[in-house]
Amino acid sequence: MTDARTARPQRPDPPSALEDALSHLQCVLVARRTATNPEHINWQQYDVLETLRIRGAMSPSRLSDALGVSRQTASKALRVLKDLELVRQTAHGEDRREQTTSLTPKGHTFLTQAAWGRRENADAAAGALSPGERALFAEMCQKVADSVAALRHGAPAEGGTPAGPGPRRGDVADEGPEPGAV
């Protein structure tokens, strides 16, 4: 009989082509983001700024939920960003304790200056893809990002389980595009 404390973990299946592609893309994008990060803002702080840029002003609790971090972690990042005058917090509504966090003009300027790397990435992708492929790639990126973000909350990915393995090598290639896909 095998004791759970002495059992060896099972060796994971070899990565699928999709897993390899996502891992490689992540590595390339993180390396590019590192190279284009002026003022040495850390990842957590940059993610706060980008989330506010994309989604607009929000409460610290909504921001921590959006980032998938604890309220304490978000508060630490916000303190630094407030000291750098990249974000501001204002009282919201009648309850003066409720705060809304938003980008300052200096925060918008910082992100505009940092955006050139993101634009170069988009230009490189556009040069490698046809117009139809670009539209499909943008749609698929959003779909995958939403599915991966749902894992943070324990929600199952479409057609899967929250912690269960996804399709293995060859599964994606066998499916083909959805009916009506561009």
Side-chain angles (χ1 to χ4, degrees):
M1 182 183 245
T2 304
D3 185 297
R5 291 171 289 167
T6 60
R8 295 183 68 158
Q10 285 186 325
R11 198 164 207 202
D13 291 336
S16 67
L18 177 61
E19 184 179 343
D20 284 345
L22 286 171
S23 180
H24 180 64
L25 180 59
Q26 179 180 3
C27 289
V28 169
L29 291 175
V30 167
R32 289 277 301 148
R33 185 169 163 188
T34 299
T36 60
N37 181 7
E39 297 185 30
H40 304 291
I41 298 295
N42 73 28
W43 298 119
Q44 192 69 57
Q45 296 156 359
Y46 191 87
D47 288 347
V48 167
L49 296 172
E50 276 293 291
T51 299
L52 292 171
R53 179 187 72 81
I54 293 167
R55 297 188 180 184
M58 61 178 66
S59 70
S61 61
R62 279 190 55 222
L63 183 61
S64 66
D65 286 345
L67 294 169
V69 299
S70 70
R71 177 75 189 265
Q72 181 181 11
T73 299
S75 292
K76 286 180 186 177
L78 288 172
R79 271 193 299 274
V80 172
L81 295 171
K82 282 179 5 185
D83 289 346
L84 293 170
E85 300 177 352
L86 298 174
V87 300
R88 72 172 150 253
Q89 289 187 307
T90 55
H92 180 73
E94 293 180 19
D95 184 352
R96 307 289 294 168
R97 295 172 297 172
E98 189 177 341
Q99 299 283 309
T100 298
T101 305
S102 59
L103 291 171
T104 63
K106 187 175 175 181
H108 282 287
T109 299
F110 170 83
L111 288 173
T112 298
Q113 292 168 347
W116 73 268
R118 194 174 58 247
R119 288 192 190 107
E120 280 187 335
N121 292 344
D123 289 345
L129 302 171
S130 71
E133 289 171 328
R134 288 193 293 263
L136 187 56
F137 182 72
E139 180 182 333
M140 290 187 311
C141 283
Q142 188 62 54
K143 194 174 191 176
V144 169
D146 291 346
S147 181
V148 171
L151 294 174
R152 193 173 51 223
H153 302 290
E158 192 173 311
T161 61
R168 298 311 315 159
R169 189 175 301 280
D171 289 349
V172 174
D174 296 339
E175 290 181 5
E178 289 183 336
V182 178

